[in-house]
Amino acid sequence: MPAHFRALGSQTPSLSFVTGVGGGRMAKGKGAILVKLLSAANTGYFYVKRKNPRKMPDKLAFMKYDPIVKKHVLFTETKLR
């Protein structure tokens, strides 16, 4: 038996403790969706970001770093497939 289980004494850990599944989860943004931010430099490089369409109905656009062209370029929102 591993040492961190022996410290619990006769108690056995719950299944959620062992597998990491179950209680203790924090709520994700209600109604949030994942969107892909695609590089305008046409390198195919993209970032994935969470967005709440109720609060932000317009498309996202960020200046972020594209490591393929080694520059900051415009990344615009597209659908994540």
Side-chain angles (χ1 to χ4, degrees), residues 26-33 50-56:
M26 296 201 51
K28 301 265 183 193
K30 191 173 185 177
I33 59 170
R50 215 170 45 212
K51 168 188 164 178
N52 186 341
R54 287 186 178 190
K55 292 182 180 178
M56 252 187 202

Side-chain angles (χ1 to χ4, degrees), residues 33-40 43-51 59-62 64 74-81:
I33 59 170
L34 292 176
V35 294
K36 181 195 282 191
L37 297 173
L38 189 61
S39 173
T43 58
Y45 193 80
F46 65 92
Y47 289 95
V48 176
K49 187 158 177 64
R50 215 170 45 212
K51 168 188 164 178
K59 290 197 172 224
L60 297 176
F62 291 103
K64 294 182 78 66
L74 184 66
F75 281 78
T76 54
E77 177 184 335
T78 59
K79 280 189 177 180
L80 183 64
R81 295 183 180 160

